[in-house]
Amino acid sequence: MVKPDRPKWMAACPQHDLDEVDTLKNLKVDRRPPLMLNIALALQHVMVHASLCALVVGALVPQSEKERTTASVFFYSGVSTLFQTCFGSCLPLIQSPSLDFLVPALVLLCAQPGSHAACRGQSDQSEHFEVPVDQLRELQGMTVVAGLVQLLVGSCGVGGAMLTRCGPLVLTPVCCMLGFSIYREAALLCSDHWGFALLTVVLIVLLSQHLRCCTLPGHLKFLLYPNVSMLSVLLSVLLVWVVCAVLQHCGRITLHSVSELLFKDDLNTTSFQDRTAVNSSKLLSLDPTATWLSLPLPGLGLPLLSGDSIAAGIAAGLSSCISSQVVYVLTARLLKAPTPPAQACNRGVSVEGLSSVFAGLMGAPVGLCSSVPNACMTSVGQCGSRATVQLAAVMMLVLGLFLQFTQLITSVPLAIHGAVLSVTYTVAAATGITYLQYTDVDSGRNIFNTGFTLFMSLVLPRWFRMQSGFIHTGVRSLDIFLQSCLMLPVFLVSLLAFLLDHTVSGTLSERGLVQDQSTRKIQSLADKPQEISQNLVTVYKPPQPVGKVLDWPGLRTFPFCACRSMEVEKITLTSAEMSSLLP
């Protein structure tokens, strides 16, 4: 067979360098990178996870409790990630808080009397952002309820069953919305300093996309290209972070917290700078008075279960179940792996539910689900090793136990976090577009359904955010539930896309589906064997001890059968290598 021509950028690179590029680029789930590279890749995952924590924790927790709460979220995320990679879906996924918990939490806080300061863009007060203890306990109650919803959906098999009925025209808008849903929050973080945000974005794009190989004068060649490209996010963050620290030390810039950015327009410049001086002075420094070892124990008492927290928890649990299963599909596509089977999705959601319940009982204000930006790092960093994610989980456990390390991570400027989220979430949106190749893209039905679901899922949450008192049924808990659901873009887009795809008439080929003549089952064209490069058993099979437990006769009945391992046939691979994900 004649080998295809090498791309133009490869013409200047020696063949042994290209072999190294291919070896590093084509790391699979069961492969382990070299030790030092593995540590750097794991640290990169931790930095991306810290960006989500900075947004979610900073918007819900007072500044005085931010470091302790962030440390506890790191710890529980590390525990959940280890369980997810070993007992859950077995995909290389980091577990973290997300917008699926942030939006209902903000709706819950806004519904409480005297807590209008928690409403983003709706506050006319200039005092410090504070959340009373009872409301923090309600957030913990919301987390527990959300975890119970996740556990119920996973153990009963509802999530896996629904996913098997989602074709390309459902996955396209949902994956796209998964990427678009963060645009407002990312812009909020970037507004801390647009210059640093832009510099971070440019560096990430240059290192991950434009840098291919570089020949220095003489016979010296830049042989570290694969590592530099794979670590583009980490290197960009560290470089801009150092620049920020130098400028802040010289008194040229002033950095802010998330809660201060929420009310930046309502504050005068003098008082705002005075209030932020304390926060900016901690950049790239450790507080010598802080305790080193800090166990993530509950400090506010047991979670408070009320009608409001239950309503917000149900909305958060439903949305997080949808997001997590879409992240499973997204990760599998980036890894060139088979579509996750129903039992793997059910195990993954069940593990997330247990983790959220545990985190809520131990004092965390938000639950856990699969992290979208960390999943997108599979593409940006061209590495999907399960060992890397497990090492990142161990690092997060260490960060959660040692408060001074957490202080260092939380001192990263918000503009850098916003840039990281802006770049990583774009991969989710772009991956959703790729599913259109299996459908009839010229079909008027498909054009309308996709455009309508995406547009409405962006417009409606924005409108309901501006009209917070529009829903008034007389029952505050019901108002909170409806308001939360209508402000969650992923929940809206999945509901609209699923309904339109199954109610608007269209042929199977038009919808990107095909019927197996032997089994008469309808499956997506995206699941065809020739599209994958990894084995189904290798990716989703749990460890042998776990598999033996799941195969016990007592677990063959409802509801445990939904998470039970099934015998699967090995799929013949047509290509031993994974193609470039981001050319």
Side-chain angles (χ1 to χ4, degrees):
M1 181 179 295
V2 179
K3 294 183 178 180
D5 294 337
R6 293 162 63 183
K8 293 181 178 179
W9 67 268
M10 290 185 178
C13 299
Q15 183 61 42
H16 66 274
D17 292 349
L18 296 178
D19 294 338
E20 184 179 5
V21 172
D22 292 336
T23 301
L24 293 173
K25 183 185 295 182
N26 296 319
L27 289 173
K28 297 184 180 180
V29 174
D30 55 343
R31 295 189 182 179
R32 187 183 300 270
L35 178 59
M36 296 307 298
L37 178 60
N38 198 25
I39 293 175
L41 289 170
L43 183 59
Q44 183 170 244
H45 274 294
V46 173
M47 296 301 297
V48 175
H49 177 271
S51 297
L52 268 180
C53 288
L55 171 63
V56 177
V57 176
L60 296 177
V61 180
Q63 186 68 22
S64 58
E65 296 290 330
K66 186 183 71 172
E67 293 172 352
R68 186 189 64 83
T69 305
T70 302
S72 65
V73 171
F74 267 112
F75 182 84
Y76 301 131
S77 296
V79 174
S80 179
T81 300
L82 291 176
F83 276 93
Q84 182 68 257
T85 55
C86 296
F87 310 109
S89 65
C90 299
L91 287 168
L93 290 172
I94 297 290
Q95 305 299 293
S96 69
S98 68
L99 295 183
D100 302 292
F101 294 95
L102 176 60
V103 172
L106 290 174
V107 173
L108 176 62
L109 293 178
C110 290
Q112 303 299 325
S115 63
H116 298 290
C119 301
R120 293 182 293 175
Q122 300 175 13
S123 175
D124 54 358
Q125 305 176 15
S126 60
E127 65 266 20
H128 288 278
F129 172 76
E130 294 292 343
V131 180
V133 173
D134 288 343
Q135 293 183 11
L136 287 176
R137 291 179 60 201
E138 271 200 310
L139 292 180
Q140 298 172 17
M142 182 203 75
T143 302
V144 173
V145 173
L148 292 176
V149 172
Q150 291 173 310
L151 182 60
L152 181 64
V153 170
S155 60
C156 293
V158 177
M162 294 297 293
L163 185 61
T164 58
R165 291 165 174 77
C166 295
L169 286 176
V170 177
L171 295 177
T172 293
V174 176
C175 286
C176 289
M177 187 53 59
L178 207 63
F180 295 152
S181 61
I182 198 70
Y183 80 95
R184 187 177 182 272
E185 287 72 16
L188 174 71
L189 297 181
C190 291
S191 65
D192 188 24
H193 198 293
W194 284 103
F196 293 133
L198 179 61
L199 177 59
T200 306
V201 170
V202 170
L203 285 175
I204 294 176
V205 173
L206 287 176
L207 294 179
S208 64
Q209 303 301 308
H210 291 84
L211 182 60
R212 290 296 183 252
C213 63
C214 179
T215 302
L216 300 178
H219 299 284
L220 299 177
K221 292 181 174 60
F222 191 57
L223 302 179
L224 294 179
Y225 150 68
N227 295 356
V228 171
S229 179
M230 296 173 72
L231 301 174
S232 56
V233 174
L234 178 63
L235 295 176
S236 302
V237 169
L238 294 179
L239 180 60
V240 180
W241 191 7
V242 171
V243 174
C244 290
V246 173
L247 293 179
Q248 188 275 336
H249 181 73
C250 298
R252 299 294 183 181
I253 61 172
T254 302
L255 303 176
H256 312 129
S257 66
V258 176
S259 58
E260 289 164 338
L261 290 176
L262 300 181
F263 319 116
K264 188 175 181 179
D265 296 334
D266 299 323
L267 303 177
N268 59 74
T269 305
T270 303
S271 62
F272 193 72
Q273 292 179 350
D274 292 342
R275 290 170 52 198
T276 57
V278 176
N279 294 333
S280 59
S281 64
K282 298 173 63 176
L283 191 63
L284 266 179
S285 62
L286 297 176
D287 183 7
T289 61
T291 57
W292 271 98
L293 184 62
S294 176
L295 297 178
L297 299 176
L300 302 175
L302 294 176
L304 180 61
L305 291 178
S306 62
D308 296 348
S309 62
I310 292 175
I314 293 175
L318 293 176
S319 183
S320 62
C321 290
I322 297 172
S323 297
S324 293
Q325 295 191 85
V326 176
V327 173
Y328 300 158
V329 176
L330 170 69
T331 306
R333 186 155 186 85
L334 294 177
L335 290 171
K336 297 294 182 182
T339 301
Q343 65 271 14
C345 294
N346 294 331
R347 290 198 309 267
V349 175
S350 300
V351 168
E352 293 174 8
L354 290 174
S355 302
S356 296
V357 172
F358 177 69
L361 292 175
M362 296 302 292
V366 288
L368 302 171
C369 63
S370 297
S371 170
V372 178
N374 287 102
C376 294
M377 283 304 302
T378 302
S379 176
V380 178
Q382 292 291 334
C383 178
S385 173
R386 189 183 293 117
T388 299
V389 171
Q390 291 173 341
L391 180 57
V394 175
M395 290 183 178
M396 288 189 289
L397 289 176
V398 175
L399 286 172
L401 292 176
F402 296 95
L403 193 58
Q404 292 209 2
F405 291 158
T406 306
Q407 287 180 348
L408 186 62
I409 294 294
T410 56
S411 67
V412 177
L414 296 179
I416 298 178
H417 289 314
V420 170
L421 295 179
S422 299
V423 173
T424 52
Y425 269 87
T426 57
V427 177
T431 304
I433 297 175
T434 63
Y435 279 98
L436 290 177
Q437 65 181 305
Y438 305 106
T439 67
D440 184 1
V441 294
D442 293 326
S443 170
R445 169 195 184 275
N446 296 347
I447 293 174
F448 175 81
N449 287 1
T450 304
F452 179 83
T453 53
L454 285 174
F455 187 81
M456 288 301 172
S457 300
L458 286 173
V459 170
L460 289 178
R462 176 67 175 173
W463 189 85
F464 280 103
R465 183 180 288 111
M466 298 172 61
Q467 306 292 333
S468 58
F470 179 78
I471 299 178
H472 184 69
T473 63
V475 181
R476 192 170 67 177
S477 299
L478 182 59
D479 294 344
I480 291 176
F481 174 76
L482 295 176
Q483 187 81 13
S484 299
C485 292
L486 292 174
M487 288 177 60
L488 286 166
V490 175
F491 179 85
L492 275 179
V493 74
S494 60
L495 179 62
L496 293 175
F498 189 85
L499 290 177
L500 288 178
D501 190 42
H502 288 80
T503 56
V504 179
S505 60
T507 63
L508 290 180
S509 60
E510 189 179 15
R511 297 168 57 192
L513 304 175
V514 64
Q515 187 175 31
D516 192 341
Q517 297 301 326
S518 59
T519 62
R520 310 300 295 177
K521 291 183 178 180
I522 297 176
Q523 67 178 88
S524 171
L525 290 174
D527 299 338
K528 295 175 64 176
Q530 61 265 27
E531 298 293 337
I532 65 174
S533 63
Q534 298 200 59
N535 191 281
L536 183 65
V537 176
T538 303
V539 179
Y540 301 108
K541 186 177 181 180
Q544 188 173 4
V546 180
K548 290 182 178 180
V549 172
L550 293 175
D551 289 336
W552 285 352
L555 299 181
R556 297 177 184 271
T557 58
F558 180 84
F560 304 105
C561 59
C563 300
R564 179 178 161 270
S565 297
M566 298 180 181
E567 294 296 330
V568 294
E569 297 180 359
K570 293 185 178 180
I571 300 176
T572 303
L573 306 181
T574 59
S575 175
E577 295 182 350
M578 184 174 68
S579 58
S580 177
L581 301 175
L582 288 180

